[in-house]
Amino acid sequence: MGEKVVAGQFDLSDRNRYRDKLRRCLKGLERLLDEKRFDRPKNLMGLEIELNLVGSDGMPRMLNAQVLERIASRDFQTELAMFNLEVNIAPHRLGGRVFDRLAEELRTSLAYADRKAGEVDASIAMIGILPTLGRDDLVSSNLSAVDRYTLLNDQIVAARGEDFTLDIDGVEHLTCTSKSIAPEAACTSVQLHLQVTPGRFADVWNAAQAACASQIAMGANSPFLFGRELWRESRPPLFQQSTDTRPPELQAQGVRPRTWFGERWISSAYDLFEENLRYFPALLPICDGEDPLDVLDAGGVPKLAELVLHNGTVYRWNRPVYDIADGMPHLRVENRVLPAGPTVTDVIANAAFYYGLVRALAEEPRPVWTRLSFEAAAANFDAACRYGIGARFTWPRRGRHSGTVEVDAVRLVRDELLPLAETGLSAWGVERADRDLYLGVIEERCRLRTNGAEWQAATFHRALERGLGREAALAAVTRRYHELTNLGDPVHTWPVGLPEPVPLG
């Protein structure tokens, strides 16, 4: 939702005109694919991280406008709520010591932003869901003062026609309602982009769909919401429910949610854009003046503005992206499953695991998606969100054997997926020092069976055992988490529990 839009009302003619433009955009995309007009392979990757603003007490701070004014960098942007920011790292070519370079750039950017946030008594926190968020923090009055967020909220609320219901049954059970999409702002994620050619797109997207359960199992970092311990990665159910335009009757009819895993393996990027038009009504029917087919007839490159905007309101966990750079159109797979944090090293380790694994899975002689049902991949995703590093998956048997087996996530990653990720990173030309360092972080998480979610939950329970009340324990966990994040050592090295108080006198 990076589009600059102006809030306003829409009527039937707007929606009809927009639907017609969407169809023309889809036809334009089809022609671009048929005419092979896309950019050549560049092995480019990109990274975005959504962030929280917190005070020294660990509580959210509604100050993103003031902080962004002080940062004064195009690399940092608003996000949905006033306690959110987003940092964008410039695209990099996969190869060499790219992950070390990314880590250094990210540390530099975040340290600068944190200094600027400190000028208004706030600091930057990388965490999937801030444990100290309360229901009163996630209301429409705390949405960022940006037209596109106001308009998106108004349109989703109007489409639903009633309050949003949050119902997440995990370690504990949360049920509540919201009058706006503001609870979605609790979800802060890492988005990994990979530019791919049209010919490789389907294989890469299918591989990313198969891989995302293992990504979440290794990287889960969102066990708390509104004071309740829920799923190890509670962002996906929260995101789906807080943006769900379907009242219960439409859910019962099988109408698809706008936040979804998907329902089939694909054979082309076109499949995903076509599904978006077929299944999802427009939320923001804003028409651009360009006619994409006229532009193509004249030999130009169309922006496909309506298609791009509509695609931004369908929240796939692996989203197709159409974009133009230096006058050339290209396609990207945007991987959206990972939570932010805990540290820069952890974020880069998650990225290295993803880019290596997707490359290897996409190039296997017998691809995983020919041996695993899409329903099983979706069930793996759900299990990873619920149980994190303790999940069990359905996965194809190794070697020449057919069929699938049930396997622990840790065992699958350690014995099969990490070697694949190393092969994939080698194919990208990533140097061994980077491969060993960052995949070694994932291997240590497997050995110790820990990640951000496990540390948060264990430290929370230790705090309760010390006699802290629930709210005080969550605040203490958040402060300790932030302290350890700033020290920079990856989460598998963090000591569980709160430091002992220093005796007075």
Side-chain angles (χ1 to χ4, degrees):
M1 269 304 301
E3 298 296 319
K4 292 183 178 178
V5 299
V6 178
Q9 298 299 313
F10 303 115
D11 58 27
L12 293 177
S13 64
D14 292 322
R15 296 186 182 279
N16 288 332
R17 185 164 57 252
Y18 189 79
R19 184 177 289 114
D20 180 65
K21 284 295 296 289
L22 276 174
R23 290 172 180 151
R24 293 182 73 79
C25 284
L26 188 64
K27 182 64 178 177
L29 176 67
E30 186 177 34
R31 280 182 54 180
L32 285 166
L33 291 167
D34 289 344
E35 296 169 11
K36 297 180 170 40
R37 294 277 301 277
F38 284 87
D39 202 359
R40 63 188 184 279
K42 287 187 174 178
N43 295 352
L44 287 178
M45 57 82 69
L47 177 68
E48 305 170 45
I49 306 178
E50 295 164 350
L51 307 164
N52 293 283
L53 292 171
V54 298
S56 59
D57 56 0
M59 305 304 288
R61 301 277 283 163
M62 307 295 169
L63 294 170
N64 66 356
Q66 296 92 316
V67 172
L68 284 168
E69 183 179 3
R70 285 163 172 78
I71 292 173
S73 168
R74 294 178 61 184
D75 293 341
F76 286 83
Q77 300 175 0
T78 56
E79 256 300 327
L80 184 59
M82 293 181 182
F83 62 90
N84 296 143
L85 301 176
E86 181 176 89
V87 59
N88 299 283
I89 301 300
H92 284 63
R93 191 179 301 276
L94 276 161
R97 297 300 304 273
V98 62
F99 294 111
D100 251 7
R101 293 198 305 275
L102 279 169
E104 185 57 33
E105 288 180 29
L106 195 50
R107 288 189 186 99
T108 300
S109 294
L110 292 177
Y112 170 73
D114 201 51
R115 288 196 301 275
K116 292 299 180 182
E119 296 176 6
V120 291
D121 297 321
S123 57
I124 303 291
M126 283 197 302
I127 192 167
I129 296 176
L130 193 63
T132 51
L133 283 170
R135 290 179 60 183
D136 291 343
D137 297 315
L138 292 168
V139 293
S140 57
S141 59
N142 284 336
L143 294 177
S144 294
V146 178
D147 278 345
R148 67 179 181 270
Y149 299 132
T150 301
L151 186 53
L152 184 66
N153 177 68
D154 291 347
Q155 293 300 305
I156 291 179
V157 168
R160 184 173 175 85
E162 59 188 70
D163 288 354
F164 298 87
T165 299
L166 303 183
D167 187 345
I168 305 174
D169 194 3
V171 177
E172 298 176 297
H173 192 181
L174 172 70
T175 57
C176 61
T177 59
S178 173
K179 296 185 179 301
S180 75
I181 66 169
E184 186 260 300
C187 307
T188 48
S189 67
V190 173
Q191 292 141 34
L192 301 173
H193 291 254
L194 180 60
Q195 183 176 330
V196 293
T197 60
R200 285 175 52 88
F201 186 96
D203 287 349
V204 170
W205 188 87
N206 289 338
Q209 289 286 96
C212 64
S214 60
Q215 287 180 269
I216 287 180
M218 294 297 107
N221 196 30
S222 313
F224 296 106
L225 176 66
F226 297 162
R228 296 282 203 280
E229 184 179 353
L230 302 174
W231 294 10
R232 283 304 187 248
E233 187 51 48
S234 303
R235 288 170 37 260
L238 171 58
F239 203 117
Q240 177 173 325
Q241 294 176 19
S242 61
T243 59
D244 200 341
T245 56
R246 309 167 303 161
E249 295 81 5
L250 292 183
Q251 294 179 37
Q253 293 172 35
V255 173
R256 294 155 182 85
R258 296 191 85 95
T259 301
W260 71 326
F261 185 79
E263 60 190 18
R264 62 181 175 126
W265 306 116
I266 65 167
S267 58
S268 167
Y270 179 89
D271 295 348
L272 300 176
F273 290 101
E274 189 276 332
E275 279 184 350
N276 286 355
L277 270 64
R278 182 153 40 104
Y279 295 146
F280 301 106
L283 288 177
L284 302 172
I286 301 166
C287 286
D288 185 82
E290 173 192 86
D291 186 303
L293 301 184
D294 288 349
V295 172
L296 278 167
D297 289 342
V301 176
K303 294 180 292 183
L304 306 184
E306 293 80 10
L307 192 76
V308 169
L309 180 57
H310 186 56
N311 185 56
T313 66
V314 179
Y315 304 103
R316 297 178 184 271
W317 296 111
N318 286 292
R319 176 189 274 167
V321 176
Y322 170 88
D323 204 354
I324 300 170
D326 300 323
M328 288 290 292
H330 69 261
L331 294 172
R332 301 196 302 269
V333 173
E334 180 190 15
N335 177 261
R336 301 160 49 82
V337 305
L338 286 167
T343 67
V344 169
T345 298
D346 288 302
V347 168
I348 300 302
N350 291 339
F353 180 56
Y354 168 74
Y355 287 114
L357 181 57
V358 164
R359 170 82 185 246
L361 290 177
E363 294 181 351
E364 280 192 306
R366 294 180 63 212
V368 62
W369 56 92
T370 66
R371 299 177 288 139
L372 183 72
S373 72
F374 196 89
E375 293 74 17
N380 288 345
F381 178 78
D382 186 75
C385 293
R386 286 179 182 270
Y387 305 115
I389 206 161
R392 287 180 61 82
F393 297 152
T394 300
W395 198 254
R397 294 179 185 273
R398 298 176 70 176
R400 297 174 178 269
H401 303 290
S402 60
T404 59
V405 295
E406 295 292 316
V407 61
D408 288 340
V410 163
R411 181 180 171 190
L412 176 66
V413 171
R414 184 191 61 214
D415 295 348
E416 186 170 347
L417 301 188
L418 272 173
L420 282 173
E422 183 172 13
T423 298
L425 291 179
S426 179
W428 286 121
V430 174
E431 290 187 20
R432 175 166 292 281
D434 265 22
R435 302 200 309 264
D436 290 349
L437 173 60
Y438 293 108
L439 294 185
V441 170
I442 305 298
E443 186 174 18
E444 283 298 290
R445 290 189 208 155
C446 288
R447 185 178 69 85
L448 298 169
R449 290 183 175 262
T450 195
N451 54 23
E454 295 299 319
W455 183 90
Q456 287 187 56
T459 299
F460 170 70
H461 288 289
R462 292 273 186 94
L464 293 181
E465 290 166 6
R466 278 176 48 175
L468 273 67
R470 179 174 286 257
E471 289 186 7
L474 288 169
V477 168
T478 303
R479 292 193 298 271
R480 179 62 171 160
Y481 176 102
H482 189 234
E483 175 187 339
L484 292 170
T485 295
N486 288 339
L487 291 176
D489 295 327
V491 72
H492 70 264
T493 69
W494 290 9
V496 170
L498 304 175
E500 293 296 326
V502 177
L504 297 177

